[in-house]
Amino acid sequence: MKAPKVGDRVQATAAAAMGKKLATQRYGANAKAKKLSGEIIASEDDVVMDERDSDEELPLEELAEAEPEIEEGREPTSIDRDPLVVKVAEILECTTNSMLKSKPSSIPVSRGELFKLLGFLLALTRTHSKRRDLFSVSDGLFPAPKFGDRFGIHQHRVDELLQHISFGKVVDGDPAHGILCFIDHFNKCREDSYFPSWFICVDESMSAWRGKDGNFCSDGMPHVTKIARKPKGVGAELKDAADSETNIIIRLELQKGAERMAAKKFTDICQSKGTAQTLRLTEPWHHSGRTVNGDSAFASVQTAVELKRHGMFFKGMVKTAHSGFPKTYLDTVEYPERGDWITLAATVQGHCIFATGWGDMTRKNLVHTDGVSGEGTPHGKRRWRECDDALGTEVVIRYTKRPKVVEDYFDCAKVIDIANHMRQGGLALEQAWKTQKWEHRLFSTLLGMIETDAYCAWRHFHPDGANDEHADFTSAAAHKYN
């Protein structure tokens, strides 16, 4: 069966069938295997590692083949028509006005002013001038941007709105309640309006913060996470899920303290918090037959088993969460050549689980419930070496063979890192909007995700979007509110 394209809609008649195991492309199988220590070592031939029942194929006529339509005359910068942006504007208009009432001379903010402020913030990422210089009207060798004339909003009003933007009051002792409502609206809009491809990636993102910590003061960020390996590893951590084909973030979860996280859904049936997080991030697509790809923070045998119970497949890199996984064997087995691999199979709680070890320069071990153990496209690594005449260097591409399942995993597992790079290094709204309020920093991160998602959607779905640069898209979006 041919897998549907991204954006295809499943009709109501197919919804019931989606609860069953979906049939996808079948691969040839020569299952030559022998038992070793109670496990099965499969040959390196094309082993079928997919329990989708080929006799239960979903008829193609039950899938809506139409690509997502683009409204006639609608520009890619029509962000104000996005349901999520409209909902956020409604919330901000109400909560911000309640804060402005505390200042007698303040004028209530309107919906139009909020969209002008949005355009100002996007334009702020495209200039390196100080905020006070953006409103200058002086001409000369380097003319001022004249943001006041462009957006119809003056500097003192921008400063006032940025100071009083609010997301609601503290509820049940949780200062992040307003931001959590924002994230709930984000998840609901993505669930209702976006249909992801067959492959979903789960990973983490950071909202960089070096201000006050809630552990030491009442007005600090409630839960600060420190991850040394991250380029910006201090701040609020968000676990997220993304469509591996478009890089669009489709679900978010703000990380809080251990006690609060332990009270969340699925923690009562899962010993591993990574497994529970994976189930929560993929909950809207349970029993859809999609494949989830996750790094070592999510990957374990338990994650693979629980996702199979919930009608999904899994690929993940196993490092520390190796309970029930043959890590010792895969770390000590000898590979004749670099790039060789071995695949093991075992039945765990009634589900067939696979373990693949790949002998790269650093050994890599995967747990998965679907995929192909046959040889995939070799991995090319760029290296530099001195020329024979010692007058310079030349680029050399060295190729390492790898199994198809490893190739598929690495192709999908990088998408959130790419989205984070576009948001933090490309848009860089968190750097442009200087603030000492942690809720404003989180808001700038979420706003940056929305803008980056819009760019990814434009680049993927629009016939002329593939060649557009992110900076050009941001400039066009800001120009919308001139």
Side-chain angles (χ1 to χ4, degrees):
M1 165 185 166
K2 181 181 177 182
K5 299 178 181 178
V6 178
D8 288 349
R9 295 290 174 176
V10 178
Q11 298 178 350
T13 53
M18 290 290 282
K20 302 178 181 179
K21 297 176 182 177
L22 298 181
T24 56
Q25 182 180 2
R26 300 189 65 201
Y27 300 93
N30 296 315
K32 301 176 183 178
K34 62 180 181 178
K35 284 196 173 182
L36 178 65
S37 301
E39 295 172 335
I40 300 177
I41 298 182
S43 66
E44 293 181 9
D45 296 334
D46 290 351
V47 177
V48 171
M49 294 179 289
D50 196 334
E51 293 188 23
R52 299 174 172 93
D53 190 351
S54 61
D55 296 331
E56 296 184 5
E57 286 199 6
L58 193 65
L60 286 176
E61 57 269 17
E62 293 187 2
L63 293 174
E65 296 293 342
E67 291 287 346
E69 297 181 0
I70 299 175
E71 297 178 21
E72 184 176 356
R74 178 169 179 172
E75 301 176 7
T77 55
S78 298
I79 300 177
D80 53 339
R81 301 186 189 180
D82 186 282
L84 174 60
V85 177
V86 172
K87 186 64 178 179
V88 171
E90 292 177 358
I91 297 173
L92 290 179
E93 183 179 4
C94 178
T95 55
T96 303
N97 280 332
S98 65
M99 292 292 294
L100 288 171
K101 287 180 180 179
S102 61
K103 190 176 180 181
S105 60
S106 295
I107 302 174
V109 65
S110 65
R111 187 78 54 85
E113 270 192 311
L114 285 174
F115 283 123
K116 288 180 180 180
L117 184 64
L118 171 62
F120 168 81
L121 291 174
L122 293 178
L124 194 63
T125 66
R126 308 308 314 145
T127 179
H128 300 288
S129 302
K130 295 181 180 179
R131 189 187 300 177
R132 65 175 178 271
D133 297 333
L134 297 177
F135 295 89
S136 174
V137 294
S138 63
D139 295 322
L141 183 60
F142 301 101
K146 301 180 181 179
F147 274 23
D149 295 338
R150 286 175 178 267
F151 295 99
I153 187 170
H154 297 289
Q155 179 181 358
H156 73 277
R157 183 60 170 170
V158 169
D159 294 339
E160 183 180 41
L161 293 180
L162 290 181
Q163 181 182 0
H164 290 88
I165 280 183
S166 173
F167 304 93
K169 299 180 180 179
V170 176
V171 178
D172 296 332
D174 187 0
H177 176 77
I179 290 292
L180 292 175
C181 290
F182 186 170
I183 293 176
D184 289 341
H185 288 302
F186 179 97
N187 293 337
K188 186 67 168 61
C189 288
R190 288 291 185 269
E191 181 181 349
D192 292 342
S193 61
Y194 187 78
F195 191 82
S197 66
W198 285 120
F199 301 100
I200 295 174
C201 173
V202 291
D203 208 335
E204 66 273 345
S205 300
M206 293 295 296
S207 178
W209 177 252
R210 293 186 177 275
K212 295 181 179 179
D213 189 333
N215 291 325
F216 307 104
C217 56
S218 59
D219 58 344
M221 181 173 282
H223 180 70
V224 176
T225 303
K226 298 179 175 67
I227 304 178
R229 58 183 172 82
K230 291 285 186 181
K232 298 178 181 179
V234 180
E237 182 184 9
L238 297 110
K239 299 292 185 182
D240 38 14
D243 184 349
S244 295
E245 189 167 338
T246 63
N247 294 15
I248 293 175
I249 304 295
I250 55 178
R251 198 163 182 84
L252 290 171
E253 181 182 82
L254 179 64
Q255 301 303 289
K256 297 182 285 185
E259 294 183 1
R260 290 179 177 269
M261 297 304 297
K264 285 186 171 288
K265 193 174 182 179
F266 296 117
T267 54
D268 55 336
I269 62 173
C270 302
Q271 297 178 354
S272 169
K273 65 177 183 180
T275 301
Q277 287 174 339
T278 306
L279 291 175
R280 290 195 298 269
L281 289 172
T282 59
E283 185 176 8
W285 304 281
H286 286 175
H287 303 289
S288 67
R290 289 179 171 83
T291 298
V292 180
N293 296 268
D295 62 11
S296 59
F298 304 90
S300 65
V301 172
Q302 185 183 17
T303 300
V305 171
E306 290 298 331
L307 282 176
K308 282 298 293 291
R309 286 177 177 170
H310 289 81
M312 302 188 78
F313 298 87
F314 182 75
K315 296 187 187 79
M317 186 76 67
V318 176
K319 291 184 179 178
T320 56
H322 51 77
S323 177
F325 186 81
K327 187 175 186 298
T328 302
Y329 174 77
L330 293 176
D331 285 344
T332 56
V333 65
E334 294 185 5
Y335 296 107
E337 298 179 359
R338 180 180 174 181
D340 286 346
W341 66 90
I342 189 170
T343 298
L344 313 176
T347 301
V348 181
Q349 300 178 22
H351 300 285
C352 189
I353 308 297
F354 300 91
T356 294
W358 179 39
D360 194 12
M361 182 68 71
T362 302
R363 291 174 182 251
K364 297 176 176 62
N365 303 323
L366 266 69
V367 59
H368 50 105
T369 53
D370 73 345
V372 180
S373 69
E375 186 169 356
T377 304
H379 176 52
K381 295 183 179 180
R382 182 178 297 179
R383 295 291 183 266
W384 285 262
R385 68 181 181 187
E386 293 184 356
C387 299
D388 295 336
D389 55 6
L391 296 179
T393 59
E394 61 180 353
V395 177
V396 178
I397 306 297
R398 294 182 178 177
Y399 292 94
T400 304
K401 60 183 178 179
R402 57 180 175 174
K404 177 66 175 173
V405 64
V406 171
E407 176 190 349
D408 292 341
Y409 167 75
F410 281 108
D411 286 345
C412 295
K414 61 186 179 182
V415 298
I416 292 182
D417 292 332
I418 294 174
N420 288 337
H421 177 71
M422 287 192 291
R423 172 179 58 84
Q424 293 178 322
L427 180 66
L429 180 58
E430 294 101 324
Q431 296 181 25
W433 181 3
K434 308 296 184 182
T435 180
Q436 295 182 357
K437 296 183 178 182
W438 62 267
E439 57 268 31
H440 291 175
R441 175 52 50 83
L442 265 173
F443 174 65
S444 66
T445 298
L446 296 172
L447 185 60
M449 287 183 174
I450 294 172
E451 194 276 345
T452 303
D453 284 352
Y455 168 65
C456 291
W458 171 253
R459 186 180 60 178
H460 185 86
F461 291 112
H462 197 278
D464 300 327
N467 298 323
D468 290 343
E469 297 292 336
H470 192 184
D472 296 334
F473 180 89
T474 304
S475 298
H479 182 73
K480 172 73 177 178
Y481 303 102
N482 281 4

